[in-house]
Amino acid sequence: MEHFIIIARITRVRMKAMKITATALLAIALVLVLLVAGCTQSSSSLSTAPATSASTPNGTVGILETAGVGPMPPLLATNQVDGYIAWQPVVEAGMESNIGQIAVYSKDLPPAGEWSNHPQNVFVVRKDFYAQNPDFVNDFSALNLAATQYINDHPQESAGIAADWLAGKQNFTYGNVSVSSVTVVSNALPTIEFTNDPSDSWKASTADFVQALEDTGTVKGFVANSSDPNAVLYNFQPYQSAQAIIEAKNMTTPAPLQNTVSVGYLMALDHSALFVAVKDWQYFNDTYGIALKPEDLTAAKPSVADFLVNGQKVATVNLVPANAGPNLMQLAATNSIQMSYVGVPPAISAIDIGTPITIAYPIDNLGSGLVVTKGAPVTDWQSFAAWAKQRSDEGKPLVIAAPGKGSIQDVMLRYALQSSGIAVTDVKV
């Protein structure tokens, strides 16, 4: 019955007391199309018992998997969901637009202390591509390290670049709500820790994700059965080589690649290392002798760039966006992309099923959050859990949007709910 209630709630657009323009209605229609394309088909492994008050005394939460994070603010603005868990800048956009409020940042999700400085995104490389082109991958990695340092040294400039890439420096618009992309990105950037150091604490926190994936039944192959998961997951040689290149300030020009290289990424603030490397290519060219020069210098979001080392073109690079991490890993599995910025859980899951990639180094930590509808009785996870129970007891279980099954946000939310004894159902439309 609760499955029916959740589905009924999500398909009923509650427009009372809302002034919706024709543009807003069009946006909502587009959202619904995206949802049909992106919803999951199977029930969550965290919800093995029927969602009844007897079997789930702490309540039930429905998770609606969307096609990326773009549909989330319109869904929240039109009361079709009660909240969403997303990456930046969509977390900040929900608050800046006044359609939502922060319930909890990912670092404070349960179990207590588990995710205090959790990994967020990593850089992955196909093993065969690295074996054939180690110098290229090492030089590209040196650019990533230099771009990370740029973000930390120049946060305001980086915010402007990211806002340009993500929105052409125009407003983020969700239905009839519009907010400044520059303001949103500037406020969101400090919630992310940009780092490339695969430290012992970083590896330990990544191991927590492996455990979470095992506990939820997502990982059960190579990684789960390995006596040395680190050997299965990582190859830090590109990071170590990149460090040496940066420190020596000596770029060796590799032989030009005959084939175009494709690099995957998300329209997420986490992947700003790519954005600043491309948009401020002249700085990196002049400072390090390495650059990703966009072929179209006028494009807000370039799709093709020339990889330059010491002023010489080494490769043509296609920049390939996707809706969520699992989509990127599908592209990696088919060799449609050779390298990618991607969330930790999708990378682990892909390796677990035999996708021939390796994690080369971190890209960033933190940077996700759970946003709930404005005015909800929620200030932290404990009050969110109490709200979830209250709504379940009333026969109106909460519905929370997440960006795709197996994404970092999806995994963290499901694990947090499980840790709090809250049952999960997958909402289908």
Side-chain angles (χ1 to χ4, degrees):
M1 178 63 180
E2 289 193 11
H3 283 277
F4 174 79
I5 293 170
I6 294 172
I7 295 169
R9 289 188 59 240
I10 202 67
T11 54
R12 187 170 61 242
V13 181
R14 297 173 297 190
M15 305 295 287
K16 294 179 180 179
M18 294 189 65
K19 184 179 180 181
I20 302 298
T21 64
T23 301
L25 291 172
L26 177 59
I28 293 167
L30 290 173
V31 166
L32 293 176
V33 170
L34 288 170
L35 290 176
V36 171
C39 289
T40 58
Q41 299 300 316
S42 60
S43 297
S44 166
S45 59
L46 302 186
S47 181
T48 55
T52 66
S53 58
S55 61
T56 57
N58 291 331
T60 298
V61 168
I63 296 182
L64 174 67
E65 305 289 358
T66 63
V69 296
M72 293 180 179
L75 287 171
L76 187 61
T78 54
N79 297 328
Q80 296 182 79
V81 297
D82 301 291
Y84 59 77
I85 186 166
W87 55 70
Q88 293 286 23
V90 179
V91 175
E92 184 64 32
M95 294 182 287
E96 183 69 23
S97 64
N98 209 38
I99 61 174
Q101 64 192 47
I102 189 70
V104 59
Y105 286 105
S106 51
K107 65 184 179 65
D108 295 319
L109 286 169
E114 181 91 358
W115 312 114
S116 58
N117 194 36
H118 69 83
Q120 179 90 339
N121 287 265
V122 291
F123 192 71
V124 302
V125 184
R126 277 187 60 102
K127 294 179 180 179
D128 53 355
F129 183 76
Y130 183 55
Q132 296 162 12
N133 307 283
D135 292 337
F136 174 85
V137 175
N138 294 340
D139 285 353
F140 197 99
S141 296
L143 180 59
N144 272 334
L145 268 60
T148 296
Q149 189 62 51
Y150 180 99
I151 294 169
N152 291 326
D153 291 343
H154 307 283
Q156 283 304 112
E157 293 90 338
S158 300
I161 289 171
D164 189 22
W165 191 291
L166 296 172
K169 285 190 177 177
Q170 302 300 310
N171 287 353
F172 290 125
T173 300
Y174 308 109
N176 61 342
V177 176
S178 186
V179 291
S180 165
S181 62
V182 175
T183 299
V184 167
V185 171
S186 297
N187 291 341
L189 202 66
T191 68
I192 304 171
E193 179 190 10
F194 292 93
T195 179
N196 303 119
D197 180 17
S199 64
D200 288 342
S201 61
W202 179 86
K203 285 184 283 188
S205 191
T206 303
D208 290 339
F209 270 118
V210 174
Q211 186 62 56
L213 290 164
E214 290 180 359
D215 289 349
T216 58
T218 304
V219 164
K220 47 195 173 186
F222 294 141
V223 176
N225 297 322
S226 173
S227 59
D228 184 7
N230 286 352
V232 177
L233 291 172
Y234 308 126
N235 178 2
F236 296 134
Q237 187 58 54
Y239 170 74
Q240 294 160 357
S241 298
Q243 264 195 320
I245 290 169
I246 294 292
E247 290 171 2
K249 296 183 178 179
N250 182 18
M251 305 297 301
T252 299
T253 306
L257 275 63
Q258 298 302 310
N259 297 323
T260 297
V261 179
S262 293
V263 178
Y265 73 96
L266 301 178
M267 292 290 284
L269 195 54
D270 308 83
H271 298 176
S272 290
L274 173 64
F275 308 157
V276 301
V278 174
K279 299 291 282 186
D280 206 357
W281 70 271
Q282 190 71 60
Y283 167 85
F284 295 100
N285 185 71
D286 296 345
T287 306
Y288 299 97
I290 187 169
L292 263 177
K293 180 182 178 181
E295 291 193 353
D296 181 356
L297 295 175
T298 66
K301 185 183 68 175
S303 58
V304 184
D306 294 335
F307 188 68
L308 308 177
V309 180
N310 297 322
Q312 298 183 38
K313 180 178 176 179
V314 173
T316 298
V317 178
N318 287 334
L319 306 175
V320 183
N323 287 327
N327 304 118
L328 289 170
M329 295 298 88
Q330 291 169 6
L331 293 173
T334 58
N335 201 23
S336 298
I337 58 175
Q338 289 72 54
M339 304 187 296
S340 184
Y341 307 80
V342 68
V344 174
I348 295 171
S349 298
I351 293 170
D352 188 63
I353 62 173
T355 303
I357 59 169
T358 188
I359 296 174
Y361 45 86
I363 291 296
D364 70 317
N365 297 337
L366 307 176
S368 293
L370 174 61
V371 176
V372 295
T373 188
K374 189 73 174 177
V378 175
T379 57
D380 54 17
W381 179 260
Q382 288 71 28
S383 54
F384 173 79
W387 188 41
K389 184 179 187 307
Q390 174 194 334
R391 287 286 296 273
S392 289
D393 290 346
E394 294 171 353
K396 299 180 292 184
L398 298 177
V399 174
I400 305 297
K405 181 71 83 57
S407 65
I408 185 170
Q409 294 77 19
D410 175 71
V411 169
M412 294 186 79
L413 177 60
R414 290 173 187 271
Y415 199 59
L417 293 168
Q418 180 188 54
S419 299
S420 300
I422 299 172
V424 176
T425 58
D426 280 343
V427 175
K428 306 179 185 71
V429 293

